[in-house]
Amino acid sequence: MTDNKNQVWAKDNGVSLKQHTEDILKAFEKLKKKIKQDDKITECITWAIKLHDLGKVLPYFQIVVLGNKDYQPWDVNKDLNIYHSLASVLFINQEKLKKKLKQKLSNDDKTLQYVLYVLSAIAYHHWKNSLEMDLRYGSEKFEKLLNYTSEQLVKNLQDELNELINGENDIIQLNKEGRKGDYNLNKICENDIIQLNKAMLQGLANGLSFSDYIIPPYQLYWLPKRLEIDEEGKKKWILISGFLQRCDHYASFCEEDNSFIQKNDEEKNGILDNIEIEKLKYNQIVNKIKEEIKNKLTNKTEKTQDISLWQEEKLKDNNCKNNLILIAPTGSGKTEFAFLWSGEEKFFYTLPLRAAVEQIYDRATKIFGEDKVGLLHSDADVYLLGDDYNYERLKVYDVAKQLSYPVIVSTGDQFFPYGLRPPGYERIYATFSYSRVVIDEIQAYDPRATAIIVKFIEDIYRLGGKFLLMTATLPEYVKKEIENRIKSNGEKHFNELNLYEEEKSKYQNLKKHKLSFEDISNKKKDNKIDFTIPDEIIKDIVSKAEDKRVLVILNTVKQAKDVYERIKSYIENNKTQDNIKDENIILFHSQLTLNEKNKIKEEICGKKDENGNEIKGKFHNPKDSSDSEGKILVATQVVEAAIDIDADILYTEICPMDALVQRMGRVLRRYKENFDLDKQNGTSEVSPNIYVLVFKEGYESGNGRVYDMELIEKTLILLTDEGNDTNWEDYDNLSTEKEKLKKKIIPDSNPQILMSEYNKYDLVKKLYEIINPNGTYLSKYYETLSLLDAGFMSDRREEAQRMFREIMNVSVIDISKKTDFKNSIKNLMNQNDFNYTIFKKEIIAECIVSIPYYNLEKIKKGFVTQWLDEVENSNEIKNDNPDSKKKKLKKLKEWCSDIFIVDLKGENNII
């Protein structure tokens, strides 16, 4: 039994190193079966777990960092403060570890490589940026440890871990004369793996870098050394490190809960076993989906009939069960297909937008159960907390961060940035190696993010994971790159299911949208272009909204605000429009706080009351046949996806073909079967319901900042007859030809196009077939792929996420909200519940908006920390505990460090 004075702690709440190591090993028991047919890797992970925290034995770490005040030897010398993961390697006898592994690996001739993978996993299982200093310049620290009297430290570790590391059989073998369980410490010291590695310490003291012994897995500085390891070796390296990190994180997560520490072994084992929660069986998933469909049916006869799922029929084909690209229209049941495709395996469902993620999360909980589904995005905790402050639901977020749920719904930026391999990526990769990942709406990501996703798919495929890429509009350049990467021995290892092609005649006959082009003459002066929407179009919008739902989508917030105000002004000045009530004119854009967005989404889409009854929104889908109220929704791109609305008419600025299809998809969503506009009034001449606004100068109010100009021009040409025989090579390379084509883009005849669902699919496909691979748009895509293929790695996870998002948005608060902000801060500081989730819910969600970085300098007025200084100097905080006040303000300043004060209504606001 370990003396309390010599007991090595692993956690600051007194959890011992032995207990922590045992907890990790128990968690790993659940994951062992996920490592596909490789007992060697399992053995390596087990040893990595046993030895990973030996470095915590150092007195400074025990006494200062963990607060183990009675620890012996008592020594808080900072010179011995070597980061514990690096120090762990220094207490391992590498030759004896090699012998231990060799016994289990059947004398594998690559045992030395496995030893290096284990040591690397241990040395770098926690990474922080300051670690680099110890790696390169830590010779003085290592010399101090070399000269330190370390026998007591080694004995502390042996007392703590010997039985766990060596096992009972080894102890009996060492003590042939003694009785079972009784052993001679000196004999064990001679044979034990735990020994101070003085040879390595001597080299480090002499100036050798730690990386000369153990190659770091991160940062480009050490890339040449990593390139010496073959691909198969890198996979093993990733899995050994990843499973160690995953189990270590989960055990630590459990141990942070004091109630866990108090439980008996059986109860602890049950909790540790939940590192992977079991999923429903396939037949249960099928039945749940059918049950949900029946619940939505209103016809009693249909409710009693058996439901057949096309998704289930398709998945009977083995070609659809593994890696797959699914191309299918919106509303065709792609989500249910994904649920069934996952089978009984763990899966991650990713989408680009938070609103869409929350919708899929709610749908997934109905199928799999609330105890089986996790939610991850940057504000998932705020969403789960809800208006009723249900703290129990926050457990969903905590467990989801541990990757323990069998179903996890998330935004892409939670996982795909790990394709840049920042520190800790191994934990994600190891989990995805036995999981399935669904990538929905890939067309919504920018080219750089798309390239990172493609690389991520390739990496996961090589580790053994499966992917489902599903979309209504798949860019051709994405498909080609996946074809090049997801293959072996010349054979591609994925299949494609294209419902547009399989049911071509159906989608050719399905016609819901007739387009009309409205060309707008505008002027350019002093490099400034006037993008004002003419009064005639404002009048037309109001006229058509007399008894219909009209959706207006503009490309910039400034344009949306302007059109909204002018529509309201026009109705106010023309009292004949009595059917359009003021509350039925709605503005929705990205320059709103999270709470404002949520309130508007509820207003237009609907919500459920306290009893779970549906309250229909002004634009809810499907539109009721009895609804004849005039309504106008003015919005930006925020309604293109994840907002389930149904309008009658759309006015939209020109945008790339895939975005235009998304916008058109908000119109007549209630028609799911074959529908022809001619049936509306029995004539062949029907009015358009899609009005595309095109400015002759600059095309659209973003003027190349929101959408790439090449995509806009080629979309316009494809939508006109003149585009059919275009010489695209000349278009890309010859400015004279380009000028000729620009004159053809907006014909005087203002053509009208009755467009089928198949037309839309085909035009998007053509757009990305003809796009110039050397143009500004696609060059970002191919440059990013080239960088990643060359071994680029991000030094930090935050940097990786920033690169993934590509377009830098910044958090700002309008200067007019100063008083509200300061009052909210004061209220928060006076509350007992003071944490980052509450801060996000009561401050961020209420006051903060996001704007593009390129607009910041024109409207910036300072940093919000200035207002915090004013709060600090005031006497209005009820909590007069100086220490508490100081700690809270310090936290607030950290949380607010990247929030700017701006004037959103000033003259310089050109957003």
Side-chain angles (χ1 to χ4, degrees):
M1 188 110 179
T2 307
D3 188 312
N4 284 337
K5 290 185 177 181
N6 299 90
Q7 186 176 60
V8 183
W9 285 8
K11 301 293 174 185
D12 60 6
N13 57 1
V15 173
S16 71
L17 179 57
K18 180 182 178 183
Q19 182 63 60
H20 177 58
T21 307
E22 285 179 337
D23 289 342
I24 299 174
L25 288 169
K26 288 171 185 174
F28 182 53
E29 278 298 314
K30 184 65 176 283
L31 292 184
K32 276 184 180 178
K33 60 185 177 182
K34 305 296 184 182
I35 302 172
K36 299 167 184 174
Q37 301 174 342
D38 200 326
D39 294 336
K40 296 174 184 177
I41 290 180
T42 301
E43 185 66 18
C44 288
I45 295 167
T46 301
W47 277 106
I49 291 171
K50 288 179 178 181
L51 303 172
H52 81 292
D53 267 355
L54 300 182
K56 288 184 175 179
V57 74
L58 293 177
Y60 185 90
F61 190 87
Q62 286 294 308
I63 299 165
V64 178
V65 178
L66 297 183
N68 188 1
K69 301 299 184 184
D70 295 327
Y71 184 74
Q72 296 295 328
W74 177 269
D75 189 344
V76 293
N77 185 346
K78 273 192 174 183
D79 292 336
L80 287 174
N81 181 26
I82 300 169
Y83 195 62
H84 80 268
S85 63
L86 298 183
S88 294
V89 174
L90 301 175
F91 284 94
I92 298 172
N93 185 313
Q94 296 179 20
E95 278 303 313
K96 292 181 180 179
L97 174 60
K98 182 180 176 182
K99 286 180 182 178
K100 289 277 188 183
L101 287 176
K102 203 163 189 176
Q103 292 170 7
K104 297 289 185 178
L105 304 184
S106 303
N107 292 318
D108 190 308
D109 60 358
K110 292 188 176 179
T111 303
L112 181 58
Q113 284 189 342
Y114 282 104
V115 170
L116 292 175
Y117 302 152
V118 171
L119 294 175
S120 176
I122 292 169
Y124 308 115
H125 74 275
H126 286 302
W127 181 274
K128 57 182 183 179
N129 297 321
S130 59
L131 206 62
E132 187 178 350
M133 297 303 293
D134 280 355
L135 291 179
R136 296 192 192 184
Y137 314 113
S139 58
E140 188 174 336
K141 285 185 177 181
F142 297 123
E143 185 179 2
K144 295 279 186 184
L145 182 57
L146 178 65
N147 296 325
Y148 187 75
T149 305
S150 56
E151 285 79 3
Q152 183 62 50
L153 300 181
V154 173
K155 184 178 182 302
N156 289 353
L157 285 173
Q158 289 172 340
D159 287 347
E160 185 76 28
L161 296 176
N162 244 327
E163 185 177 346
L164 188 64
I165 287 176
N166 289 318
E168 191 177 88
N169 291 333
D170 284 348
I171 292 171
I172 295 169
Q173 186 179 3
L174 285 168
N175 184 15
K176 293 178 181 177
E177 298 174 359
R179 58 188 171 80
K180 183 176 178 180
D182 194 13
Y183 62 92
N184 184 305
L185 179 61
N186 291 328
K187 289 184 179 179
I188 285 193
C189 288
E190 291 171 7
N191 293 276
D192 203 88
I193 286 177
I194 299 175
Q195 291 180 15
L196 191 66
N197 190 335
K198 293 190 176 181
M200 183 175 174
L201 269 172
Q202 186 67 63
L204 294 171
N206 290 339
L208 286 175
S209 166
F210 200 96
S211 61
D212 290 328
Y213 291 94
I214 315 293
I215 303 171
Y218 316 122
Q219 299 191 346
L220 294 175
Y221 179 83
W222 294 287
L223 179 60
K225 294 182 181 181
R226 290 198 294 270
L227 292 177
E228 296 171 8
I229 302 172
D230 62 25
E231 283 303 312
E232 204 55 39
K234 287 174 185 173
K235 290 179 194 176
K236 292 179 172 65
W237 191 1
I238 288 169
L239 293 176
I240 294 167
S241 295
F243 279 105
L244 167 61
Q245 290 175 21
R246 173 85 190 280
C247 296
D248 184 23
H249 283 206
Y250 183 72
S252 298
F253 165 70
C254 294
E255 291 161 353
E256 285 170 4
D257 185 349
N258 286 327
S259 66
F260 173 85
I261 300 171
Q262 306 303 321
K263 295 183 185 299
N264 61 42
D265 287 345
E266 186 178 348
E267 290 171 326
K268 285 181 179 178
N269 290 346
I271 294 170
L272 291 166
D273 200 46
N274 278 336
I275 189 171
E276 277 294 352
I277 299 169
E278 295 298 325
K279 192 179 173 187
L280 295 179
K281 300 297 182 185
Y282 181 78
N283 288 337
Q284 292 176 296
I285 302 170
V286 171
N287 292 335
K288 284 283 189 180
I289 290 174
K290 289 181 177 179
E291 185 182 320
E292 277 302 304
I293 292 173
K294 284 187 176 183
N295 289 339
K296 293 178 182 178
L297 296 174
T298 55
N299 187 306
K300 290 184 179 180
T301 305
E302 289 179 326
K303 279 180 177 284
T304 59
Q305 293 175 346
D306 288 336
I307 293 174
S308 69
L309 300 173
W310 69 263
Q311 299 93 334
E312 192 180 8
E313 291 301 313
K314 293 293 183 186
L315 286 165
K316 287 178 181 177
D317 183 350
N318 285 328
N319 290 330
C320 294
K321 289 183 178 178
N322 293 315
N323 298 318
L324 183 68
I325 292 178
L326 171 65
I327 301 173
T330 301
S332 60
K334 294 197 298 293
T335 300
E336 287 72 22
F337 183 92
F339 289 167
L340 291 177
W341 170 84
S342 70
E344 296 178 10
E345 296 180 53
K346 183 185 190 76
F347 84 107
F348 296 81
Y349 193 121
T350 67
L351 288 138
L353 301 175
R354 278 180 277 180
V357 165
E358 290 163 4
Q359 284 185 12
I360 298 299
Y361 169 75
D362 291 338
R363 288 169 68 177
T365 56
K366 292 175 182 176
I367 303 301
F368 299 98
E370 290 188 0
D371 59 337
K372 305 284 187 186
V373 186
L375 175 69
L376 285 177
H377 63 63
S378 56
D379 289 321
D381 50 346
V382 176
Y383 176 77
L384 291 165
L385 187 63
D387 293 335
D388 56 349
Y389 285 73
N390 186 342
Y391 286 94
E392 282 298 309
R393 290 193 78 202
L394 283 181
K395 291 180 181 177
V396 173
Y397 183 57
D398 292 333
V399 177
K401 287 192 292 184
Q402 298 304 320
L403 311 179
S404 294
Y405 287 112
V407 180
I408 295 179
V409 187
S410 79
T411 46
D413 62 0
Q414 296 297 303
F415 295 112
F416 297 140
Y418 286 100
L420 293 162
R421 301 198 180 193
Y425 80 92
E426 303 99 327
R427 170 174 166 265
I428 303 300
Y429 272 35
T431 306
F432 276 76
S433 73
Y434 61 85
S435 305
R436 291 174 171 244
V437 57
V438 177
I439 304 105
D440 199 356
E441 308 263 14
I442 193 169
Q443 80 288 342
Y445 295 98
D446 79 279
R448 285 200 179 104
T450 305
I452 295 169
I453 293 172
V454 169
K455 186 64 177 176
F456 185 90
I457 289 173
E458 179 188 3
D459 289 347
I460 296 310
Y461 152 73
R462 295 191 185 286
L463 285 167
K466 302 284 193 304
F467 70 87
L468 168 62
L469 181 62
M470 58 185 203
T471 178
T473 52
L474 179 66
E476 188 67 17
Y477 61 86
V478 174
K479 181 182 171 184
K480 285 181 179 178
E481 205 59 47
I482 290 175
E483 285 177 348
N484 291 335
R485 292 166 183 270
I486 312 301
K487 64 182 180 182
S488 64
N489 298 322
E491 283 188 35
K492 69 176 187 179
H493 282 203
F494 72 94
N495 290 288
E496 182 179 339
L497 176 58
N498 189 327
L499 294 189
Y500 283 109
E501 297 296 351
E502 287 198 2
E503 303 177 47
K504 186 173 180 178
S505 60
K506 171 186 173 181
Y507 292 113
Q508 283 178 327
N509 292 325
L510 183 52
K511 301 172 184 175
K512 298 195 289 186
H513 304 122
K514 189 171 186 178
L515 280 69
S516 174
F517 291 87
E518 303 294 322
D519 59 302
I520 301 171
S521 296
N522 61 327
K523 296 179 180 179
K524 181 177 181 180
K525 185 177 180 182
D526 298 330
N527 291 323
K528 289 186 178 180
I529 304 175
D530 180 13
F531 288 107
T532 303
I533 302 288
D535 291 339
E536 293 78 12
I537 292 177
I538 300 293
K539 181 179 178 182
D540 286 343
I541 291 170
V542 174
S543 174
K544 288 184 173 61
E546 178 66 24
D547 58 352
K548 290 183 173 60
R549 297 177 176 182
V550 176
L551 173 62
V552 185
I553 304 180
L554 293 316
N555 292 355
T556 62
V557 175
K558 182 181 181 183
Q559 185 79 297
K561 288 178 177 178
D562 180 65
V563 168
Y564 169 77
E565 293 296 338
R566 289 170 62 205
I567 286 172
K568 292 193 72 170
S569 177
Y570 180 84
I571 292 174
E572 179 67 28
N573 295 329
N574 293 269
K575 298 296 183 181
T576 54
Q577 306 295 338
D578 292 334
N579 197 41
I580 308 177
K581 300 174 184 175
D582 189 62
E583 63 267 24
N584 285 345
I585 309 167
I586 305 164
L587 176 64
F588 189 32
H589 54 75
S590 60
Q591 202 184 90
L592 298 168
T593 67
L594 181 62
N595 285 350
E596 288 169 337
K597 287 177 186 174
N598 288 338
K599 184 178 179 182
I600 293 172
K601 277 191 279 187
E602 289 179 351
E603 186 179 0
I604 62 179
C605 300
K607 63 177 182 177
K608 290 185 177 180
D609 63 18
E610 295 175 356
N611 300 317
N613 300 314
E614 184 183 7
I615 300 173
K616 292 182 177 179
K618 297 183 188 299
F619 279 74
H620 76 271
N621 176 39
K623 178 186 176 183
D624 295 335
S625 57
S626 59
D627 184 358
S628 60
E629 268 194 304
K631 297 166 188 168
I632 301 172
L633 171 60
V634 181
T636 56
Q637 298 89 328
V638 291
V639 295
E640 283 182 13
I643 304 296
D644 190 16
I645 59 174
D646 186 12
D648 298 302
I649 292 170
L650 169 68
Y651 281 80
T652 173
E653 284 192 87
I654 187 63
C655 55
M657 193 66 224
D658 50 350
L660 186 59
V661 167
Q662 290 287 339
R663 295 181 184 190
M664 292 162 66
R666 311 298 109 188
V667 175
L668 302 186
R669 285 168 74 86
R670 52 195 176 274
Y671 295 106
K672 303 294 183 185
E673 303 299 326
N674 274 3
F675 174 79
D676 195 313
L677 284 172
D678 295 349
K679 296 177 183 176
Q680 279 190 323
N681 56 16
T683 70
S684 58
E685 293 298 325
V686 295
S687 299
N689 57 4
I690 309 292
Y691 294 88
V692 183
L693 313 179
V694 186
F695 290 93
K696 288 194 172 181
E697 286 288 343
Y699 306 126
E700 47 84 31
S701 58
N703 193 27
R705 290 178 304 167
V706 178
Y707 298 111
D708 191 279
M709 199 66 82
E710 179 188 3
L711 296 183
I712 296 288
E713 290 176 349
K714 287 187 173 176
T715 294
L716 281 165
I717 294 170
L718 281 172
L719 285 170
T720 62
D721 291 337
E722 281 81 1
N724 291 340
D725 300 317
T726 299
N727 184 333
W728 294 106
E729 186 177 344
D730 285 343
Y731 172 84
D732 290 324
N733 296 305
L734 300 176
S735 58
T736 53
E737 184 68 17
K738 185 172 179 178
E739 285 304 313
K740 292 177 187 176
L741 289 167
K742 284 178 75 173
K743 293 177 182 177
K744 297 179 182 178
I745 284 173
I746 311 172
D748 294 332
S749 58
N750 282 355
Q752 295 184 354
I753 305 170
L754 182 60
M755 190 172 289
S756 72
E757 295 303 298
Y758 187 85
N759 288 149
K760 297 176 191 174
Y761 154 75
D762 193 45
L763 284 169
V764 172
K765 186 171 179 286
K766 284 179 179 175
L767 172 63
Y768 288 106
E769 284 174 350
I770 62 177
I771 194 166
N772 181 6
N774 300 313
T776 56
Y777 183 81
L778 273 191
S779 62
K780 298 174 186 176
Y781 174 76
Y782 288 113
E783 284 170 6
T784 304
L785 276 175
S786 295
L787 272 173
L788 293 173
D789 289 341
F792 175 82
M793 302 177 77
S794 175
D795 287 351
R796 305 181 186 184
R797 185 169 63 88
E798 296 81 5
E799 177 191 51
Q801 287 181 318
R802 189 163 58 245
M803 286 183 67
F804 179 79
R805 291 168 181 153
E806 205 267 332
I807 298 175
M808 276 286 290
N809 275 3
V810 290
S811 297
V812 302
I813 181 170
D814 188 58
I815 197 167
S816 64
K817 291 197 171 186
K818 179 177 180 179
T819 302
D820 292 341
F821 174 83
K822 289 172 68 174
N823 287 337
S824 297
I825 289 291
K826 292 169 189 174
N827 290 335
L828 181 62
M829 290 190 67
N830 290 324
Q831 292 179 24
N832 292 326
D833 295 326
F834 184 87
N835 55 57
Y836 189 55
T837 297
I838 298 297
F839 169 74
K840 286 200 293 183
K841 181 169 181 60
E842 299 191 355
I843 308 295
I844 298 288
E846 191 66 41
C847 302
I848 307 302
V849 302
S850 292
I851 65 168
Y853 181 79
Y854 59 75
N855 277 318
L856 180 63
E857 285 304 316
K858 301 179 181 70
I859 58 176
K860 185 172 72 172
K861 298 296 180 183
F863 292 89
V864 80
T865 48
Q866 297 168 210
W867 294 349
L868 290 175
D869 290 336
E870 294 176 18
V871 171
E872 185 175 11
N873 295 327
S874 71
N875 296 317
E876 299 174 50
I877 299 170
K878 295 176 185 176
N879 183 347
D880 56 359
N881 183 322
D883 289 338
S884 174
K885 177 181 176 181
K886 187 176 180 180
K887 285 178 182 177
K888 287 182 176 181
L889 279 165
K890 183 180 178 181
K891 277 290 182 188
L892 285 168
K893 287 181 180 179
E894 288 175 13
W895 296 339
C896 292
S897 61
D898 57 354
I899 301 174
F900 297 89
I901 303 167
V902 297
D903 183 3
L904 291 174
K905 299 177 178 65
E907 293 181 3
N908 290 325
N909 182 8
I910 61 166
I911 301 169

